[in-house]
Amino acid sequence: MYGSHPHNDLETQQVHPSMKANKRSPLLKALLASAVFLSCAVAFVAVRNAQSGNLEASVANRVNVMPMMTQFRAPMHMAPQHHRQSEMKVRSAAQKHVASTVAPPASITETEMQSLARAADEERGLAMDGVTAANSGHLGLPLGAAEIGAILWGKSMTYNPEDPKWINRDRFILSAGHGSMFIYSWLNLAGYDLPMEELKNFRQHHSMTPGHPEFPNSEHTTPGIESTTGPLGQGVSNAVGMAAAEKMAAATYNTEEHKIIDNHIFALAGDGCLQEGVAFEAAAFAAHEKLDNLIVLYDANDVTLDKMAEFTQSEDVITRYKAMGWDAVVVDGHDIEAVYAAIETAKAENNGKPKLLMCRTVIGKGIDEVAGTNAAHGEAGVKFTDESRAKLGLPEEKFYVSPETRDFFSNRKTELKATYDQWQSTFTAWKAANPAKADQLQKAVDRHTPSVEEMFAQIPARDDISAEATRISGSTALNDIAKIFPDVISGSADLHGSNKNYISGGGDFGGEPSLGKDYTGRNVYYGIREHAMGAIMNGFAYYGLNRPSGATFLVFADYMRSPVRVAALAELPVSYIWTHDSIGVGEDGPTHQPIEQVSSLRLIPNLDVMRPADPEETVGAYVGTMERQNGPTALILTRQNVPNLKEIPVETRRMGAIKGGYIAKKETGELKTIILASGSELSTAMDAAKQMGDGVRVVSMPCMERFDRQDDSYKAEVLPASCRKRVAIEAGASGMWYKYVGLDGKVIGVDRFGFSAPGDIVFKELGFTADNVVATAKAL
């Protein structure tokens, strides 16, 4: 890929020993003497390779004796001891920052490069000023990746600041979300509706510039933020989901006559992002499904927060990604011409491989006292910002942007508007030629949702069965829902056969036709990658044209907890199908019997946790996931059969699930006792009530969160305060139920690990019988 020059092995990022020789060595003199000849020859080969459209072949092998970055570092004697040690390591490895470059397309001019360089330094100034004003934040990435940002917003990305939700815009995800002043600065410069006053309010209450980027929601509506990032590795995995969503949209809506979806997904990630396991899982998925519309810019600065990166990593990242099936190249992240050429080549190469551009950068570039060290990661450089701004040629005025930079981006905005207008013309013609597709697309964009009653009317009642596992009921409900919503997709972490969440006739998603896959497929096979599945599902939701669901065993929900939390924070309408929900798993034993999962998931704000009791409550739960537009829903389903509770009217069960809680059996005499239950334990509660006489009410509580959102009058109607004798029963941790039973009530739950035995034996041994419910209630 990079040729075979013995002194420049950039594929492994190793420096040949001979390169460490004194600068007066004969070898180095020879290299310097032949620099002009080599540059000309390499440029010729690079241009020819670039014309071939092959990303690897387009990377020229250039021996570039790089200065020791004196403009980026403080004098050695002025730095603290630990900084001096780190600085020496940076200098000794300076040749690692020598990057091969791609032959630049002719479309970038010297004037443009000067404008981009000016914009990069002014973005550095904005980042310094924002972090200094807040006395909080992270300077390292915004300063170290400034040239990358200038190229993306100033030259390479397609977007329209006046229509930030344009469906064919390129997406940019700042996976290293701690460097948020980077994206806020570039959005302001690019002309988005993010005023300078908001940059001045960085990290302040009610500002549009929170500490980490937040996808537009009820708390923040910052335009141009494509995903909520901060937990490292999540953003780059979201980008994989967005790339998959773009492939699906293009395959679904494009025609031979009109191409309306052809955007790229960009992510900027650091060492911390790529160290996280979720990023590796997602990267493997991206390569396997041939997501060549994904471009990850790896801000490789040899630094993590605690230490220089060499303390914790030594793998060859380029080789690792190439082994997975990515195109991967190294560029000097401060070389505008090289980075631009690498991005443009990556965009043009539709070879079935996602792209990793390893951008060698100096963290904190521009603040000499900390640049290139782990001290640059946070706000340690704040006390040096005034002097540093002056060295960059910036005036004393804070939050300064030159008229030249404003003019440059104004012209860029005009160019982008022309592209946007041309697309609008194509889109208009496409709509006229494809009215059915146009209607489907518009409904997907609007997340058009029929009323609950309309959805119920399209889903037949299940009166024909006496007992069924709710995972089976869920399969039927999912397929009924999929007929109503063409944008619904499903997926599983290698458990479609067990989770029963396959959309019949929906096809399988992916880029390998020989396996029966194509990009219109509605069933996504994530492999055994629960963490990545959660983050990729979020990416589908961020992209905005699909309603994703994904499945695994409930006990493995902990593997994907972080993306679930982010989905709740970002208010994404994502559905999780978690089956094998309790000690009813039986013989598989305590490793596979969820105990604490349901209660712990209920602790996540804005996550609805629905544990339906029978086929009709399951229909209500699935309809509820479609109705909900401002947050995710967890569907908790059984492995074992449960009775179809036909003594409760179908409409009562369905609408009761929508409300979260309802009276499943009303007392026929004076109310003396209330039994509350969810899921598979509702039938046990019903059996107990029949034994106890006419003063017992049974309340089904499939979703605490939905019930708690009901008005006070409804809640009082279901759980009147006058009745304090209450028993709750659920095959899981008991703590959450005390808010309903109170100090006078009792909870039959599982506050220990289970054991391996047939499920009915486990239930009996742990007290989940009608007789025990009766005895517990009578003891109150």
Side-chain angles (χ1 to χ4, degrees):
M1 173 169 152
Y2 294 97
S4 57
H5 196 290
H7 302 142
N8 194 28
D9 186 7
L10 283 170
E11 288 199 12
T12 56
Q13 296 89 57
Q14 300 298 312
V15 181
H16 193 277
S18 66
M19 291 295 287
K20 298 179 181 178
N22 185 280
K23 67 181 179 180
R24 297 183 180 86
S25 70
L27 173 60
L28 191 54
K29 289 180 180 179
L31 288 171
L32 289 170
S34 60
V36 174
F37 172 77
L38 285 172
S39 297
C40 293
V42 168
F44 172 76
V45 173
V47 170
R48 292 293 300 273
N49 285 336
Q51 291 172 346
S52 74
N54 184 283
L55 182 65
E56 293 189 11
S58 297
V59 179
N61 294 280
R62 179 177 65 188
V63 178
N64 180 5
V65 181
M66 188 178 182
M68 300 302 287
M69 295 178 285
T70 55
Q71 68 270 39
F72 306 147
R73 54 182 168 83
M76 185 70 76
H77 69 276
M78 293 176 59
Q81 177 65 29
H82 69 284
H83 287 179
R84 293 202 297 269
Q85 293 171 350
S86 296
E87 186 88 336
M88 287 187 287
K89 291 174 183 176
V90 170
R91 295 184 193 185
S92 68
Q95 295 296 343
K96 290 187 179 183
H97 291 277
V98 180
S100 295
T101 59
V102 179
S107 57
I108 189 168
T109 67
E110 186 66 31
T111 299
E112 286 177 319
M113 286 193 289
Q114 292 172 0
S115 296
L116 293 170
R118 180 191 301 111
D121 280 343
E122 291 176 7
E123 181 269 341
R124 288 188 172 97
L126 293 176
M128 290 182 197
D129 296 341
V131 173
T132 300
N135 196 28
S136 173
H138 299 78
L139 284 168
L141 182 144
L143 274 61
E147 285 80 8
I148 297 171
I151 296 156
L152 288 173
W153 274 275
K155 193 68 179 170
S156 288
M157 286 202 308
T158 300
Y159 58 94
N160 181 3
E162 302 298 328
D163 186 3
K165 294 184 179 181
W166 173 34
I167 61 172
N168 199 41
R169 68 191 182 277
D170 287 339
R171 271 71 164 177
F172 173 81
I173 301 92
L174 181 61
S175 187
H178 55 272
S180 55
M181 270 304 295
F182 172 89
I183 191 167
Y184 298 146
S185 299
W186 287 114
L187 290 175
N188 173 274
L189 293 171
Y192 285 80
D193 186 16
L194 185 62
M196 186 62 75
E197 196 62 31
E198 294 295 337
L199 271 63
K200 295 177 181 179
N201 289 330
F202 178 53
R203 288 187 164 222
Q204 303 309 301
H205 193 207
H206 296 312
S207 77
M208 296 171 68
T209 50
H212 292 79
E214 295 184 28
F215 185 71
N217 56 64
S218 59
E219 293 289 331
H220 296 281
T221 56
T222 311
I225 301 299
E226 302 287 0
S227 72
T228 296
T229 57
L232 294 179
Q234 291 292 322
V236 71
S237 305
N238 296 159
V240 172
M242 292 188 205
E246 191 277 340
K247 288 288 189 182
M248 185 176 289
T252 301
Y253 298 111
N254 287 347
T255 65
E256 291 186 9
E257 295 78 17
H258 303 101
K259 182 183 289 186
I260 62 166
I261 303 290
D262 63 349
N263 54 285
H264 287 89
I265 312 300
F266 296 89
L268 179 59
D271 289 292
C273 289
L274 299 195
Q275 282 190 16
E276 290 284 358
V278 64
F280 183 78
E281 291 180 17
F285 175 89
H288 188 73
E289 301 304 352
K290 304 183 185 304
L291 304 182
D292 53 15
N293 54 341
L294 173 63
I295 301 172
V296 174
L297 298 118
Y298 168 26
D299 179 25
N301 53 38
D302 296 326
V303 172
T304 58
L305 192 155
D306 251 2
K307 292 281 189 178
M308 300 302 289
E310 64 187 356
F311 270 72
T312 56
Q313 68 181 38
S314 54
E315 72 269 24
D316 181 342
V317 175
I318 289 289
T319 301
R320 176 157 67 98
Y321 272 74
K322 289 175 65 180
M324 284 191 286
W326 287 58
D327 270 342
V329 299
V330 183
V331 296
D332 180 346
H334 302 304
D335 185 332
I336 288 174
E337 194 173 17
V339 175
Y340 171 67
I343 291 173
E344 293 303 304
T345 304
K347 285 166 56 179
E349 185 57 77
N350 301 315
N351 61 352
K353 294 184 177 183
K355 314 300 189 291
L356 180 77
L357 308 184
M358 186 178 191
C359 302
R360 289 293 191 181
T361 64
V362 177
I363 190 171
K365 181 177 183 287
I367 302 180
D368 294 346
E369 291 80 0
V370 297
T373 74
N374 61 298
H377 176 86
E379 64 264 19
V382 162
K383 58 187 174 182
F384 308 113
T385 55
D386 285 344
E387 298 88 343
S388 299
R389 292 176 82 262
K391 291 178 183 178
L392 290 174
L394 300 175
E396 292 185 5
E397 176 190 347
K398 299 300 172 65
F399 295 96
Y400 173 80
V401 178
S402 68
E404 292 85 356
T405 293
R406 290 296 186 197
D407 288 345
F408 174 82
F409 277 102
S410 177
N411 292 334
R412 175 65 178 153
K413 189 174 177 180
T414 299
E415 294 172 357
L416 290 167
K417 182 61 163 56
T419 300
Y420 175 82
D421 289 343
Q422 184 178 9
W423 180 89
Q424 289 288 354
S425 297
T426 302
F427 186 61
T428 299
W430 172 84
K431 286 195 295 183
N434 304 278
K437 285 179 179 287
D439 180 67
Q440 179 179 330
L441 176 58
Q442 191 60 54
K443 286 180 177 177
V445 170
D446 296 339
R447 288 202 171 118
H448 171 75
T449 304
S451 69
V452 166
E453 292 77 11
E454 289 171 328
M455 287 187 274
F456 282 151
Q458 298 181 63
I459 301 176
R462 303 296 309 284
D463 293 331
D464 56 323
I465 57 172
S466 60
E468 184 176 75
T470 55
R471 61 175 175 149
I472 305 296
S473 305
S475 176
T476 302
L478 172 63
N479 278 277
D480 287 334
I481 289 290
K483 295 172 185 174
I484 302 172
F485 297 93
D487 55 337
V488 163
I489 60 173
S490 190
S492 181
D494 201 46
L495 289 170
H496 273 112
S498 296
N499 301 140
K500 307 299 182 185
N501 67 314
Y502 191 86
I503 298 176
S504 299
D508 300 331
F509 174 84
E512 186 50 71
S514 66
L515 297 177
K517 293 182 176 183
D518 66 59
Y519 289 128
T520 65
R522 299 173 70 183
N523 296 287
V524 184
Y525 285 77
Y526 291 102
I528 305 91
R529 304 183 182 103
E530 292 90 352
H531 197 173
M533 177 174 71
I536 292 169
M537 287 165 59
N538 287 354
F540 270 106
Y542 285 131
Y543 195 83
L545 297 182
N546 291 103
R547 307 182 204 219
S549 65
T552 187
F553 292 158
L554 175 59
V555 77
F556 300 140
D558 289 340
Y559 280 134
M560 54 193 299
R561 192 178 186 90
S562 182
V564 172
R565 184 179 187 275
V566 172
L569 173 63
E571 301 175 358
L572 300 178
V574 174
S575 301
Y576 308 103
I577 300 170
W578 288 321
T579 68
H580 296 57
D581 73 332
S582 72
I583 54 175
V585 170
E587 293 89 344
D588 283 336
T591 60
H592 283 56
Q593 293 171 359
I595 301 299
E596 76 283 8
Q597 276 75 13
V598 171
S599 285
S600 67
L601 289 165
R602 288 173 177 148
L603 295 173
I604 299 177
N606 200 39
L607 173 66
D608 279 3
V609 181
M610 303 192 75
R611 187 169 182 253
D614 79 340
E616 298 302 344
E617 279 197 8
T618 302
V619 169
Y622 272 80
V623 167
T625 66
M626 295 297 103
E627 175 206 31
R628 190 161 193 242
Q629 298 293 310
N630 62 346
T633 301
L635 298 163
I636 312 297
L637 307 176
T638 68
R639 175 194 186 185
Q640 76 278 9
N641 284 352
V642 294
N644 189 4
L645 300 170
K646 297 179 184 180
E647 62 266 42
I648 309 172
V650 169
E651 183 179 357
T652 300
R653 283 175 281 167
R654 289 183 173 190
M655 288 304 301
I658 294 294
K659 292 183 175 180
Y662 67 99
I663 299 172
K665 181 182 184 300
K666 189 171 176 61
E667 68 284 358
T668 57
E670 180 186 355
L671 178 60
K672 296 178 181 178
T673 305
I674 299 175
I675 304 174
L676 299 94
S678 82
S680 53
E681 288 69 68
L682 180 59
S683 62
T684 304
M686 296 286 283
D687 290 343
K690 293 172 186 175
Q691 297 181 34
M692 293 175 64
D694 60 6
V696 179
R697 173 182 296 188
V698 176
V699 171
S700 177
M701 190 71 70
C703 183
M704 293 182 178
E705 297 78 19
R706 281 180 169 267
F707 181 75
D708 290 347
R709 290 199 296 268
Q710 302 304 312
D711 59 51
D712 290 342
S713 63
Y714 178 78
K715 288 185 284 188
E717 177 187 340
V718 175
L719 295 174
S722 59
C723 182
R724 299 172 65 89
K725 292 181 64 175
R726 303 180 183 184
V727 176
I729 177 171
E730 184 178 60
S734 63
M736 296 291 288
W737 287 94
Y738 283 97
K739 66 178 177 177
Y740 299 123
V741 303
L743 296 177
D744 297 331
K746 294 289 185 181
V747 180
I748 300 171
V750 184
D751 294 311
R752 51 155 287 181
F753 291 115
F755 53 87
S756 179
D760 57 340
I761 300 299
V762 180
F763 272 118
K764 182 178 179 180
E765 289 295 316
L766 294 179
F768 290 88
T769 64
D771 289 345
N772 188 44
V773 174
V774 172
T776 302
K778 288 182 176 180
L780 292 175

